[in-house]
Each structure stands twice: as C-alpha cells, then as structure tokens.
Amino acid sequence: MKTWGLLGTMSLTLFCFAAVLLFRTARCQGSYGPTESEVTAVPLWDAPLPSPQYAGYINIPGTSKHIFYHLFLSHQSPAKDPLVVSVPGGPGGSITDLDIVPFLYSNNFADPSSPSLIPDNVTVSPNPHTWAKAANLLLMDSVAGVGYSYSQNEQDYNISDSQAQTDMEATLREWCQTYSYFANHSVFLHGRSYAGKYVPLLGQAILKGNQEGAKPSINLEGYLIGNGVTDSATDNINIFSLFSAWPLIPETLAANLTQFNCGTLTNPIDADTVKFTGSNTTQVSACTELTAQVHSHISYNVNSMKWNGDCFYGQQTFIEALAKQIAAQMAAEGIDNQVWYNQSWTNYKPGAGCNEDARATHMYFNRADVRQALHVQAVQEQAGLWLGLNPRVAAAYSYDIPSVLPQHQFLISKGLRALIYSGDLDWQVPWRGRGSQHWTSQLGASLGLLAAWRPWFRPDPRNYGSHVALCCTPL
C-alpha cells in the first residue's frame, strides 16, 4: 500500500511557472449559497465567525456518491476575491482539517504519551495565516470514503486516479451549479502531497469539459501544488542519498542501495516487483534486505511529513479508544453499535509508528455537534467515523496514471499559471534530486520557459528561503 501524507512543511523551496499569482476581480451577483447549507456557528468557537461559511454534501449525478465540501468566504471581498478549490492527498486523505482554513485545532493533554485518555479538551483558535484572508476557500473531498464523504454502494470505495478525476470534475461542476454566485469568479486549484496528481488531473478535466460544452463552465486560471506527487519514475529516485544527507541512514547503506539500483522507498525493487523491473535474482535479494534496513532506521521512528519533527506513537491506540468511546455513547442512547464499531474500527486501522499528533482533529470532527453544524451525517450512519486518512480507501486504491507531467504541459500550454512549492523536510515527496526540482526544470526547459535560479529570503529570519526558479515571466 502506498500512502502520501497530507501536509507539507513550511521551510520552502519554490519552483514556479509564474512569477506572481495575480488574482483577477470577478463580477458576481445573488446570494452566496443555499440557506440550509449555511454554517451559523462553530462548536468551541465563541466569537462571531470571521466570514460566512457553507458546508454539506454534493451528490454526484447518476451515482450513490455524496462528497463533502466546506466553503469559507473571503474575509475581505467575496465578490472580488478568487475561489481557491483545495482537494486532499492521501490517497484516502480528508481535506477537512487543512491548515489553511480560518481555524486551528489543538488539545491540552496532561500526559501526551497516554493515547488512551480521551478528555474533551479541544481548543479552537484563529489561524493568522488562513488563506481565507485573501480568497474564497472551498475544501472539497476528492472521492467517496474519505473524511465525511460516503456512498451507498460499497464498490464506490474502490478508487483509481482516473475515477478520482471523473468524480472531482463532476463534484465541482455540480457545486458551481448550486453556488451560482461564483459563476464568474477566477478559480485556482490547490493540493498537496498526493493531490499533486489530483490537481493537474482535475485541471485537465475542467478545461476539456469547458471546451466540450460542459455546464456550468469553470473559469480556471491557475493552480498551486505543495510537495506534490508527480511522476512515479522520478519523484523519489534519489531518496536514499537524501536520507543519508539529512542524516537518517548511514552513508554506507545509501551507497549500497545506489550500487544495486534499489529504486525508492515507496516503490523498491524486491521480490514483489521483479516481474515489472526485470531485475536479476541477486539484485532483488540485495534490495529486499537493504530496504528492510531503511525501514528499520526510519519508517517507525521518523515523522514522514517533517523528518526532524515530533513523533506521536499512539495514533492506532487512540483511534481505537475513540471508536470505543463513541460506541459506548451510542449504547447509552439505545443505538445498536456492534455493526458500526466493527465497520468503523476493524476495517479502518491507521498505521502504527511515528505520526503527526492528530488527536485534536479526530476528537473535534467526530463530535456530534460539529457534524450537525457542518450538515453531515451522524457518526452512526453511512459516513461513519471521520478519519484524517482512511486506510480502507488507500488499500484498495488503483494507481492507474503513473505520471501527470503530460497534464502539467497541457495546462501550461493553455495559459494557466502554476506555483509548485516544496518543503525541504518532507521525505515522502522531497524536492531534491529528481523530485520537484527535477521535473519543474525539465518541463520548463522543454517549454522554453526556464529562467535562472536565484536565492530568495523572507523578512523573518526564522523562515529563511532557499532558491526559486521562474519559468514564465521574470519578477
């Protein structure tokens, strides 16, 4: 099973096809959206909402799929500011707790090492860096089975890249039909990690659909991708050298992995992949042993989103305890809970080892009052337990589009502006070697748009930059 995390890191190296992402004004009229979908209050938030919000489900026509969305209107000018549509990574990830929204969620556990304690002490605080300060922000789950999204048909949870592309376009067009206020807004797509594939796939579907007369037409002008999965052949090709440079593994181990051409951590050459690689028996045997050593060094003990970040080892135990607590509440209310518990926990176990501490969001988004405020199903219904990453979707996922480089080239050729950014602490989708740095340079050169690299800096000395390549117009 391959999974990529949802979050990038904030020490950034930028690669962009446009010098500045300029947002055009838009002509709009009418109400924001359906009254029954308006979010009038946010649990644990005592102040007035910073801007109007809408949330609920978009039902994909002709299917049993119900896709969750959450709209935060711009704090400044909803009529003039663009619409940024953000989709999740994973595969199987939810978009609901993305850190660009107006709220931050935190817990205040007395004993952070004790995952079995589930006190109701989540804090909701304002996010000073929310993108809603300058844009209308639409969070849209990509497929059924992630976050609050669901389907009455179990087969709909067997997702592929191509099916996700179809479902995302259908969901967004249906949403635009419902929210006609945004009919003339400039639209920008955004995503991180595995959404590095979803964003260009969705962009391609939108432009081709517009050309073929699909309604409503969507005024797509650009896209943003952070630490994005792009091309299976090059994304992590030099990952082991990067591990030794950080350092996460010994140099001798990295040298041996390179010597035997052992692929990448997420797609290593071993006995299961030999029929695809044509590798000889000696290579397969050596790489199987060497990649196992890599796993022993980092897979359990290193935070994949931020290799020097903190570890929370109790995610699996915590989710189980949370499911038991909810099941107990259901029993106290006279609700038959055994089937729900088996489906919600037995089939949905997250990975063990080092994880981001996501207890606050899992407690918050599984609260009954939060689900009610966001107009989504109760936890005992088909939507089930909210999980930041649903392993059931990830395990059944089909990676049928190995590269989205053709989609990037298509979008750029159509005049879209793109910002590709990468945190230098994410070891799952790194920028160095043949990651973001490689493919943006190669694509920029092939389009005749590559400019020289130069350093960039932020005023805050704690957030210094690295380098930026400008691939369309100079600053």
Side-chain angles (χ1 to χ4, degrees):
M1 178 180 73
K2 301 179 185 177
T3 58
W4 286 267
L6 299 177
L7 300 180
T9 52
M10 297 309 295
S11 176
L12 300 178
T13 298
L14 301 183
F15 313 88
C16 55
F17 295 109
V20 182
L21 198 60
L22 299 175
F23 294 141
R24 300 177 187 172
T25 59
R27 295 176 291 104
C28 305
Q29 58 184 0
S31 61
Y32 296 131
T35 302
E36 64 271 18
S37 299
E38 185 170 6
V39 178
T40 57
V42 174
L44 305 184
W45 177 267
D46 298 328
L49 295 178
S51 68
Q53 299 179 30
Y54 293 80
Y57 290 111
I58 291 295
N59 304 326
I60 300 180
T63 75
S64 301
K65 302 171 185 178
H66 309 272
I67 308 300
F68 175 75
Y69 72 90
H70 194 167
L71 171 68
F72 302 87
L73 270 74
S74 170
H75 297 182
Q76 296 187 29
S77 177
K80 294 182 178 180
D81 289 338
L83 176 67
V84 174
V85 181
S86 191
V87 295
S94 173
I95 197 68
T96 311
D97 62 342
L98 197 64
D99 59 0
I100 62 176
V101 304
F103 307 115
L104 297 174
Y105 310 96
S106 58
N107 60 53
N108 189 26
F109 289 96
D111 181 6
S113 65
S114 179
S116 61
L117 300 177
I118 317 294
D120 189 15
N121 62 351
V122 178
T123 299
V124 180
S125 57
N127 180 2
H129 305 297
T130 177
W131 289 12
K133 289 185 176 182
N136 300 289
L137 182 58
L138 172 62
L139 308 186
M140 188 182 79
D141 274 338
S142 54
V143 295
V146 305
Y148 292 131
S149 301
Y150 70 98
S151 175
Q152 283 97 348
N153 184 352
E154 283 289 321
Q155 294 303 311
D156 287 339
Y157 299 136
N158 298 323
I159 309 295
S160 66
D161 293 326
S162 54
Q163 185 62 55
Q165 180 185 37
T166 299
D167 287 354
M168 287 187 294
E169 185 205 5
T171 301
L172 185 55
R173 290 200 192 275
E174 193 71 15
W175 185 92
C176 290
Q177 185 74 40
T178 303
Y179 287 82
S180 58
Y181 177 86
F182 297 95
N184 297 314
H185 275 61
S186 299
V187 176
F188 293 84
L189 305 179
H190 165 256
R192 296 188 294 206
S193 199
Y194 201 76
K197 292 179 74 172
Y198 289 156
V199 166
L201 289 173
L202 175 56
Q204 178 190 48
I206 289 172
L207 293 188
K208 288 188 173 182
N210 288 348
Q211 185 176 1
E212 295 167 0
K215 301 296 181 182
S217 182
I218 297 172
N219 184 25
L220 181 62
E221 294 196 6
Y223 59 99
L224 307 88
I225 296 174
N227 282 83
V229 172
T230 305
D231 179 69
S232 60
T234 60
D235 275 343
N236 293 323
I237 200 68
N238 290 331
I239 190 70
F240 300 125
S241 297
L242 185 59
F243 287 172
S244 66
W246 268 336
L248 297 177
I249 63 175
E251 288 185 358
T252 52
L253 177 55
N256 288 334
L257 289 156
T258 301
Q259 176 186 347
F260 285 98
N261 189 25
C262 291
T264 69
L265 186 64
T266 52
N267 187 27
I269 295 174
D270 56 27
D272 293 330
T273 60
V274 64
K275 58 181 178 293
F276 302 112
T277 65
S279 306
N280 60 48
T281 305
T282 301
Q283 183 188 28
V284 170
S285 176
C287 288
T288 300
E289 180 181 346
L290 291 169
T291 53
Q293 292 182 43
V294 175
H295 281 285
S296 70
H297 279 285
I298 68 173
S299 294
Y300 189 84
N301 296 309
V302 178
N303 187 324
S304 65
M305 312 308 163
K306 187 177 181 181
W307 67 264
N308 62 353
D310 294 335
C311 282
F312 175 62
Y313 290 98
Q315 189 75 355
Q316 183 167 331
T317 305
F318 170 80
I319 295 296
E320 181 178 16
L322 178 62
K324 286 181 176 179
Q325 184 186 59
I326 294 174
Q329 292 172 348
M330 292 167 60
E333 298 171 8
I335 301 172
D336 184 7
N337 61 31
Q338 190 58 52
V339 173
W340 175 89
Y341 178 78
N342 289 339
Q343 292 177 343
S344 293
W345 168 244
T346 305
N347 297 327
Y348 289 70
K349 293 182 179 179
C354 178
N355 290 281
E356 295 281 340
D357 188 347
R359 287 175 291 179
T361 51
H362 281 86
M363 285 190 295
Y364 186 76
F365 289 113
N366 282 300
R367 287 173 57 120
D369 55 353
V370 171
R371 299 175 77 110
Q372 184 176 13
L374 298 181
H375 312 296
V376 299
Q377 281 192 340
V379 70
Q380 66 266 26
E381 298 183 65
Q382 284 177 301
L385 193 69
W386 182 91
L387 292 171
L389 179 68
N390 188 332
R392 182 177 69 166
V393 173
Y397 197 86
S398 176
Y399 303 85
D400 63 341
I401 301 178
S403 175
V404 290
L405 290 178
Q407 284 74 18
H408 280 288
Q409 187 154 5
F410 171 76
L411 296 175
I412 298 303
S413 71
K414 295 297 183 181
L416 267 65
R417 292 169 287 176
L419 175 65
I420 311 299
Y421 62 95
S422 287
D424 58 10
L425 301 179
D426 183 338
W427 62 259
Q428 288 201 6
V429 191
W431 69 272
R432 289 178 60 180
R434 290 193 173 182
S436 305
Q437 180 184 19
H438 173 80
W439 77 258
T440 50
S441 298
Q442 292 294 310
L443 184 58
S446 69
L447 294 172
L449 300 172
L450 186 62
W453 283 56
R454 63 171 177 79
W456 66 275
F457 302 94
R458 291 185 57 179
D460 186 344
R462 294 172 300 175
N463 293 294
Y464 57 86
S466 182
H467 290 81
V468 59
L470 304 175
C471 303
C472 279
T473 55
L475 285 173

